[in-house]
Every structure is written in structure tokens, then in C-alpha cells.
């Protein structure tokens, strides 16, 4: 009897949209879809790292999704070297969530993407402390200070490889499920001021780069979270009802692709 295909899961960047990753993985688990290796960028790196260690998402949902938004400011400390936030407290938080683990402790093979601010190239992280790698991958420029590592200045991986399909290919995946959090329905605003022009320009760049990153994926799950971009401010993204709604969006989109996903196992 032939062995099944090796399944890789690539989790993309996207900030608050990343709650949808939790819903996608829940549906895969509920339907006994095996995941043999995983890659992640930015928020996808956090969800991927947690899952590769714990094989479920219970604590992550408690710590992040159901975390009281009034506690969030305690994660952010002022920075003075290239970012408004130093990231030290955030990394301590990540250490607690990830259990002070290293890549070598992962139950599933894992690779994380950051971007080297010096060279402008994507940087693959696969050794050392998980919390530091996730902190680097989620370091939005100007918001977080870059992470200094081996002569590099590491920032958000979404700037160079928003959905790291190529990394699970490198890990030997025969079939790849990718979760892309950038949706074309986000582009609906027609009135702009200076800040919204800058935000739209960045979103356009990452949206188009994600299409390139998705090459090689067998199934692309693309949760539509655009309603929350239009109707909610940053502080609302961490309200439990909003976070739960984003998880549900991920669940619905994953269920829609279940027939395609199950066919990968043939």
C-alpha cells in the first residue's frame, strides 16, 4: 500500500488577520488532516511555532485571543533604536507562550521567515530560541526595534516572503496548504489622506508579493477578513468577540476547501 503524501502548511503574515490561522488549523485537526511540516511569517510564525510545539491551540487562544485588551499595553515598552517599541517585554510574553523552547524542541519541522533590513533579503530562521525568531518575524518596521542577530537587523518577514510556501517545499512537502491573509476585498476605500495613502501603498505591495510567494501551493486558503479592516480600529482587534469572529472566518474558509485538502492525501 503506497504511503500518503507529506503535507506542508505555510502560514502567512497579516497582523490581526492571523486569528484566522487558528480556525484553519482547528478544522484540519478535526478532520484528521495530518501536518508534517510548517512554515510561518509574522503572525503565521507565532501560530506555527506554537502549534509545532504543543500540537494544539488551547493556550494560544487563551493568551492572545481571549486576553483582556487592557493588558496589551504591558507588552509594549518604549524603544529608542529604530522602533517605537523595544520588544523586550513582547519577547518575554512570547517566551511564556512558547515555553522557552528552541527549534530543536519542535514536534513538527518548522522554519520561520524574517527580513534582513541591511540586505533586504528574506532570512530563514530554523535554529535557536523560538521566541526570538518569532519576535524577529513580527517586528513591524518603525513600530518594533529590529532584532540584531549575527550581524543582521531582522524585521517583519512579510516584507520579503508573506506566505513561505518555498520553505515547506525545502522541508520535503509533497503537497502544500497555504493560508494567505491578504484578500482583494480589502481594497474598497476610495477616499484617502496622507496616512491612508501610505497604508494602502504598503498593503498593495504585500498583497502582490503574496501572490508570488504562493507559487507551488496545492491549496490556497484565503480568509476574507476585510469587514474588520473597514469597521474596526486597532484596539477592537483584540476584543474577544472580534477575535472569535476572525477564527470563525478561518474555520469557514478551511471547511470550504476540505474536499480539495482531503484529495491531497490520495
Amino acid at each position: 500500500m503506497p504511503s500518503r503524501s507529506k503535507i506542508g502548511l505555510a502560514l502567512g503574515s497579516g497582523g490581526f488577520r492571523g486569528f484566522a490561522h487558528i480556525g484553519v488549523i482547528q478544522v484540519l485537526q478535526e478532520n484528521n488532516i495530518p501536518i508534517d511540516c510548517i512554515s510561518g511569517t509574522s503572525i503565521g510564525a507565532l501560530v506555527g511555532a506554537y502549534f509545532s510545539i504543543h500540537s494544539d491551540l488551547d493556550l494560544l487562544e487563551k493568551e492572545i485571543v481571549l486576553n483582556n485588551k487592557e493588558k496589551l499595553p504591558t507588552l509594549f515598552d518604549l524603544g529608542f533604536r529604530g522602533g517605537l517599541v523595544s520588544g523586550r517585554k513582547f519577547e518575554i510574553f512570547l517566551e511564556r507562550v512558547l515555553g522557552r523552547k528552541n527549534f530543536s524542541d519542535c514536534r513538527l519541522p518548522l522554519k520561520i521567515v524574517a527580513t534582513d533590513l541591511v540586505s533586504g533579503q528574506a532570512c530563514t530562521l530554523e535554529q535557536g530560541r523560538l521566541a526570538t525568531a518569532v519576535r524577529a518575524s513580527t517586528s513591524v518596521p518603525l513600530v518594533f526595534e529590529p532584532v540584531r542577530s549575527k550581524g543582521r537587523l531582522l524585521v517583519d518577514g512579510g516584507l520579503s516572503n508573506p506566505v513561505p510556501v518555498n520553505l515547506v517545499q525545502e522541508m520535503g512537502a509533497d503537497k502544500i496548504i497555504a493560508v494567505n491573509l491578504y484578500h482583494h476585498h480589502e481594497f474598497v476605500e476610495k477616499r484617502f489622506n496622507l496616512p491612508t495613502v501610505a497604508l494602502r501603498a504598503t498593503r498593495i505591495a504585500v498583497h502582490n508579493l503574496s501572490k508570488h510567494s504562493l507559487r507551488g501551493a496545492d491549496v490556497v486558503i484565503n480568509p476574507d477578513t476585510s469587514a474588520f479592516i473597514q469597521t474596526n480600529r486597532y484596539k477592537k482587534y483584540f476584543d474577544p468577540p472580534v477575535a472569535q469572529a476572525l477564527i470563525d472566518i478561518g474555520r469557514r474558509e478551511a471547511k470550504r476547501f476540505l474536499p480539495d485538502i482531503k484529495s491531497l492525501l490520495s
Side-chain angles (χ1 to χ4, degrees):
M1 182 175 179
S3 60
R4 65 167 178 81
S5 298
K6 182 177 180 180
I7 305 296
L9 178 65
L11 301 178
S13 63
F16 81 98
R17 305 172 187 82
F19 295 133
H21 285 320
I22 295 175
V24 170
I25 293 176
Q26 286 174 342
V27 169
L28 296 181
Q29 287 191 295
E30 290 164 5
N31 288 272
N32 299 313
I33 305 298
I35 300 171
D36 298 294
C37 55
I38 193 163
S39 65
T41 299
S42 198
I43 187 63
L46 173 54
V47 177
Y50 185 88
F51 185 72
S52 71
I53 286 289
H54 298 288
S55 300
D56 66 60
L57 297 169
D58 290 345
L59 178 61
L60 186 65
E61 193 167 346
K62 274 184 197 173
E63 288 285 357
I64 297 180
V65 179
L66 302 180
N67 197 3
N68 190 317
K69 64 180 180 178
E70 279 74 25
K71 296 179 183 177
L72 288 172
T74 65
L75 302 181
F76 304 128
D77 43 357
L78 290 178
F80 302 98
R81 296 187 301 174
L84 298 174
V85 178
S86 78
R88 288 186 296 271
K89 289 185 178 179
F90 183 53
E91 189 163 342
I92 291 171
F93 166 76
L94 292 173
E95 288 275 13
R96 188 176 79 244
V97 171
L98 297 173
R100 298 184 63 81
K101 301 292 187 179
N102 296 322
F103 278 89
S104 58
D105 298 312
C106 292
R107 300 183 184 186
L108 292 175
L110 170 72
K111 291 188 178 184
I112 286 174
V113 180
T115 301
D116 184 356
L117 198 59
V118 176
S119 68
Q121 299 301 306
C123 179
T124 302
L125 306 176
E126 51 186 324
Q127 294 179 336
R129 189 75 80 177
L130 282 176
T132 303
V134 172
R135 151 96 164 85
S137 185
T138 56
S139 291
V140 178
L142 300 181
V143 177
F144 284 95
E145 289 183 1
V147 173
R148 297 174 183 271
S149 172
K150 299 179 181 178
R152 303 168 300 190
L153 288 177
L154 301 181
V155 295
D156 196 324
L159 297 175
S160 56
N161 192 354
V163 194
V165 168
N166 64 310
L167 297 190
V168 283
Q169 287 176 322
E170 292 173 6
M171 286 187 273
D174 302 306
K175 302 294 182 179
I176 299 170
I177 303 167
V179 187
N180 176 36
L181 300 177
Y182 300 101
H183 200 282
H184 68 274
H185 285 167
E186 294 179 14
F187 299 104
V188 296
E189 304 102 324
K190 296 181 180 179
R191 299 178 65 181
F192 298 96
N193 54 31
L194 187 59
T196 56
V197 166
L199 181 62
R200 171 61 69 88
T202 301
R203 193 174 291 162
I204 288 171
V206 179
H207 178 81
N208 287 307
L209 183 58
S210 69
K211 294 178 183 178
H212 175 77
S213 294
L214 288 166
R215 292 175 183 173
D218 296 282
V219 174
V220 177
I221 299 172
N222 191 193
D224 182 2
T225 62
S226 59
F228 293 93
I229 289 177
Q230 304 306 318
T231 60
N232 291 283
R233 295 288 181 239
Y234 176 82
K235 64 181 182 179
K236 288 244 179 184
Y237 296 161
F238 297 94
D239 280 346
V242 173
Q244 188 59 58
L246 294 168
I247 291 174
D248 290 343
I249 289 171
R251 289 182 62 86
R252 286 197 299 272
E253 192 68 3
K255 287 178 180 178
R256 194 164 73 86
F257 280 93
L258 269 178
D260 296 323
I261 293 170
K262 289 180 178 180
S263 72
L264 300 180
L265 301 176
S266 302

